[in-house]
Amino acid sequence: MALLLLAGCNRPDAPPRELTIFAAASLSEVAEDLARSFEADHPGYHVVVNAAASSVLARQIDEGAPADVFFLASEEWGTYLADRERVEGSLRRPISNRLVVVARPGAAALTDLASFSSTASMALADPEHVPAGIYAREALTCLGIWDQIAPAVLPALDVRAALHAVEQSAADFAIVYATDVAQSNITHSDVVQVLFPVADSCQPAIRYTLGQVKASADAEGAASLVAYMSDRSRRTLWERYGFVVCDAADQSVSAPC
């Protein structure tokens, strides 16, 4: 009996409750940091980050993929899920970003997008489906040069793949998020060169959209994670990665950021 009681006292703890975040590719590193921080503040939880293009993640969630929380790089895909009743509660829009033009080492000089040569190549996240590419196309259309650049576009799976094309000299230029360049330079020691940001007059409204998946197997944990990631006390972390923190008190509306 004594041995049985001792065995009971030494019984291993229950396994941690697992939550899965489906995060836009541009959020890969900061989402991992937030996941580890959440685990430290919420013992008993383990958070897994699945990063990919927002379009891919939204479709996977719509088809029943086992996600608890999503953090996508556009309002459009968040609304897509809300319209299909895949979202519990309101969508939140806690952060924003900016587009910049980058070049591979040795690329011909480019002073502005209007001087882009038809002999060069431009990597973009797929401008038909992926938010970073759609934003880039919007900016180029606003500048009146989409038709000029479109034939030279090399569509990539996501924004990180577009940046990687420049890092590997598979493309001369790319239009990517400022945050991706910052992370690339940490990892690869300034392999890519930032030429200039997209003009303010044509910077698209980039609003990342955060939400709880309605089909989450742990609704309480998912709600806690959404609240944690959107809390403005995380501001320092977001800004360290280069994101713009939205100051609107009500993040459930499309306030400018």
Side-chain angles (χ1 to χ4, degrees):
M1 179 65 72
L3 289 173
L4 288 173
L5 289 172
L6 182 61
C9 290
N10 292 330
R11 184 175 57 196
D13 292 336
R17 297 161 67 181
E18 187 170 288
L19 294 171
T20 299
I21 305 170
F22 275 30
S26 54
L27 295 172
S28 298
E29 292 81 13
V30 68
E32 287 285 357
D33 266 8
L34 285 164
R36 303 295 79 79
S37 179
F38 180 85
E39 290 171 350
D41 290 348
H42 297 78
Y45 274 103
H46 173 58
V47 181
V48 176
V49 177
N50 175 33
S54 296
S55 53
V56 172
L57 298 175
R59 289 190 178 107
Q60 288 177 345
I61 291 170
D62 188 37
E63 292 169 2
D68 299 288
V69 170
F70 61 83
F71 211 155
L72 308 178
S74 82
E75 289 185 293
E76 179 183 356
W77 287 111
T79 302
Y80 169 91
L81 291 174
D83 289 346
R84 285 159 176 75
E85 300 184 350
R86 307 300 187 198
V87 181
E88 183 67 36
S90 299
L91 296 171
R92 303 194 187 196
R93 300 164 180 85
I95 57 168
S96 184
N97 213 328
R98 290 177 62 80
L99 293 179
V100 296
V101 181
V102 299
R104 63 169 176 80
L110 185 67
T111 56
D112 58 57
L113 285 167
S115 62
F116 180 85
S117 168
S118 59
T119 62
S121 55
M122 175 74 75
L124 300 179
D126 186 346
E128 295 298 322
H129 305 288
V130 181
I134 293 170
Y135 291 137
R137 185 182 62 193
E138 287 177 3
L140 293 168
T141 300
C142 171
L143 291 165
I145 55 175
W146 170 248
D147 290 341
Q148 171 188 337
I149 291 179
V153 166
L154 302 177
L157 183 63
D158 56 40
V159 68
R160 290 295 175 88
L163 182 59
H164 186 65
V166 173
E167 292 171 345
Q168 299 299 311
S169 295
D172 298 308
F173 305 100
I175 300 177
V176 297
Y177 297 130
T179 53
D180 292 304
V181 182
Q183 186 58 41
S184 172
N185 288 343
I186 291 170
T187 307
H188 299 99
S189 302
D190 297 320
V191 169
V192 300
Q193 175 187 4
V194 178
L195 299 180
F196 45 82
V198 168
D200 286 345
S201 60
C202 287
Q203 276 281 350
I206 301 170
R207 300 189 183 100
Y208 287 74
T209 305
L210 172 65
Q212 177 182 342
V213 179
K214 194 169 189 176
S216 169
D218 187 344
E220 180 182 0
S224 295
L225 183 54
V226 167
Y228 189 86
M229 295 180 80
S230 59
D231 192 306
R232 279 179 286 172
S233 65
R234 313 274 96 77
R235 184 184 196 108
T236 300
L237 178 61
W238 285 116
E239 291 180 341
R240 188 190 336 143
Y241 280 91
F243 290 93
V244 177
V245 178
C246 300
D247 288 320
D250 184 1
Q251 296 175 351
S252 66
V253 299
S254 301
C257 189

